[in-house]
Structure formats: structure tokens, C-alpha cells
């Protein structure tokens, strides 16, 4: 049995899309587990199990995994999907090949300034492996990224657990032939699509977007940066960020509208 853990928050906009693509492409028996915080309870009908949750995204995923571990056998598969992620092809051949050589297969968003950690937009392991590893999606563990900034993010503690235990994992990398954006709207391994910021919207820029629109090296302390750029520099930086937010909002709405039409013609824009 495959157990799929996914979190939806504040909006039901991805629920029908995600569950439709799961039905179309997952060709093994599966059970869906989710939480629907601040979403009409009527959307529970799209899932097998709905758990009441609050807290961070990583905390919710950890909680869903704990609930699954309580009922599943060690041989069952455990798949994590972000709410705005879904398969565009059968993911099981990739999963089976990968788990034959490692304990975990997961997206690595290397395009995000070299991030090294597994990302929960798509990750699969066995229930037994997750139990043994005491898997944890929380941030905390840090690294220095390609811009020279020390950061942590979701999946950071999982990366450290893999390192400390010498547990291998298979990285699923971005496979777009055409990028509409350097970090959002990603296809991974040719099998999974991740919209990116599907619930937050573009009002919160990804740190890569901020880095690309900021001339000062990100490893410099924020206090030094603020003194160096002055009020005019801060105004220009704010204007650049607003421009990126507007561009991403328009692009996100356009891509989402194409996906909602119900056919796969929207995938042509990534080829």
C-alpha cells in the first residue's frame, strides 16, 4: 500500500487538480492523508483521511507521517507531496528504481542557490525506513549556499539525519527544458510538477528571487547592507521586488488557469 501525505492550507484551489492527477497516474493502491486548515470541510471527500492540524508546514507533514506509521506496515510506501505538487506521469517506476538502491528518493531543488536537502514537494520512502530514521522535515540544520549565505529550510534536519546515519538517498532534479522562472513552476525527474508558492502567493518572494534582485552579496550582514544602500537604494530594491511579485502573480495565475482546464496541453510551455 502507498500512503500519500499532503497538506492544504487556506485555499482548496489545488485539491481537485492534485487528486485528479493522482487518480490518472498512480497505478498502485494508495491512500491519501491530509489536513485542511482554514478550508471548507466539504473538501474532505477528496481524501481518505483528514487530520485536524495547526502549526508549520514541516510540523504538519511530520504529524501526518506519525499517524500513518501508527497504522501502516514497514513494507508500505510513504510519499510526501506539497499541496501544489502532483504527478504528470506514473511515478512508481522512478520510485521502484530509486528505492532499490537507496532508502529515500526526493526532489532536491539544486536550482535554489544549490540547496542540498531533500524537499517534501515530492519524496518517497518505506514506512520502515522513515520509522528507523525518525524522519523530520523541520528546518534547523544549516549550510552555506551558492550566494555565500548561511541558510536553513524545510528538509534541513532530514538532510542531517541522512548524513549522520550514512543513509543514501536519490536526488530528483529539475528537468524543465524551458523555465518560466528559475525556482517556481518546476518539473522534476520528468514525473512530478511543483507550482511553488501555491498557497503563499508571490507576496513572499523566495530567497533566490531576493538574491537575484539584490546587488549586495547576501553573506554581508543585514545591518551593513542597510547602511550601505541608504534610503534611495532601499526604495529601488523595494521597487525591484514589487516588479518581481507582480510578474510572478500574473505568471502563476496564467499557469494555474491552463492546468485547471483539464488536459495536458499546459505542459507544452515547459518543453
Amino acid at each position: 500500500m502507498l500512503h500519500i501525505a499532503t497538506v492544504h492550507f487556506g485555499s482548496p484551489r489545488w485539491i481537485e487538480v492534485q487528486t485528479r492527477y493522482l487518480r490518472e497516474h498512480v497505478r498502485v493502491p494508495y491512500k491519501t492523508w491530509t489536513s485542511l486548515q482554514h478550508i471548507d470541510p466539504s473538501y474532505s471527500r477528496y481524501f481518505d483521511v483528514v487530520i485536524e492540524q495547526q502549526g508549520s508546514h514541516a510540523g504538519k507533514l511530520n504529524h501526518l507521517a506519525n499517524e500513518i506509521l501508527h497504522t501502516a506496515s514497514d513494507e508500505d510506501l510513504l510519499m510526501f507531496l506539497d499541496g501544489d505538487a502532483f504527478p504528470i506521469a506514473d511515478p512508481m517506476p522512478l520510485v521502484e528504481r530509486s528505492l532499490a538502491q537507496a532508502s529515500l528518493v526526493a526532489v532536491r531543488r539544486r536550482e535554489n542557490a544549490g540547496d542540498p536537502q531533500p524537499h517534501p514537494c515530492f519524496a518517497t520512502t518505506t514506512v520502515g525506513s522513515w520509522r528507523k530514521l525518525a524522519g523530520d522535515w523541520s528546518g534547523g540544520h544549516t549550510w552555506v549556499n551558492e550566494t555565500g549565505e548561511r541558510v536553513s529550510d524545510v528538509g534541513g534536519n532530514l538532510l542531517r539525519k541522512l548524513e549522520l546515519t550514512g543513509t543514501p538517498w536519490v536526488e530528483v532534479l529539475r528537468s524543465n527544458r524551458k523555465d518560466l522562472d528559475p525556482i517556481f513552476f518546476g518539473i522534476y525527474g520528468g514525473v512530478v510538477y511543483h507550482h511553488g508558492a501555491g498557497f503563499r502567493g508571490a507576496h513572499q518572494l523566495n530567497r533566490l528571487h531576493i538574491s537575484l534582485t539584490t546587488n549586495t552579496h547576501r553573506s554581508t550582514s543585514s545591518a551593513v547592507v542597510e547602511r550601505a544602500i541608504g534610503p534611495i537604494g532601499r526604495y529601488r530594491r523595494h521597487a525591484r521586488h514589487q516588479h518581481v511579485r507582480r510578474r510572478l502573480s500574473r505568471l502563476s495565475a496564467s499557469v494555474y488557469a491552463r492546468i485547471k482546464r483539464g488536459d495536458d496541453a499546459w505542459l507544452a510551455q515547459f518543453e
Side-chain angles (χ1 to χ4, degrees), residues 103-119:
S103 297
L104 172 74
V105 53
V107 161
R108 175 191 168 191
R109 297 206 300 176
R110 187 173 60 187
E111 66 274 16
N112 195 27
D115 274 2
Q117 86 281 19
H119 194 280

Side-chain angles (χ1 to χ4, degrees), residues 100-221:
Q101 55 184 296
S103 297
L104 172 74
V105 53
V107 161
R108 175 191 168 191
R109 297 206 300 176
R110 187 173 60 187
E111 66 274 16
N112 195 27
D115 274 2
Q117 86 281 19
H119 194 280
C121 65
F122 170 73
T124 307
T125 184
T126 64
V127 167
S129 293
W130 191 258
R131 198 192 310 272
K132 180 179 179 181
L133 189 63
D136 177 11
W137 284 112
S138 303
H141 172 61
T142 66
W143 57 88
V144 177
N145 67 15
E146 291 174 350
T147 68
E149 183 184 16
R150 180 165 288 279
V151 300
S152 184
D153 210 334
V154 62
N157 287 352
L158 181 57
L159 174 66
R160 189 56 178 156
K161 284 177 177 282
L162 294 168
E163 292 173 344
L164 290 172
T165 58
T167 303
W169 66 289
V170 174
E171 302 173 1
V172 183
L173 302 178
R174 191 178 180 101
S175 57
N176 298 42
R177 294 184 179 181
K178 177 182 178 182
D179 283 324
L180 305 182
D181 180 79
I183 185 67
F184 294 156
F185 320 117
I187 295 173
Y188 293 90
V191 299
V192 173
Y193 173 75
H194 180 221
H195 194 76
F199 297 94
R200 293 183 294 118
H203 62 279
Q204 268 187 299
L205 294 181
N206 177 274
R207 52 186 160 83
L208 179 64
H209 293 122
I210 294 173
S211 177
L212 292 174
T213 55
T214 302
N215 295 327
T216 306
H217 199 269
R218 292 300 306 278
S219 61
T220 307
S221 73

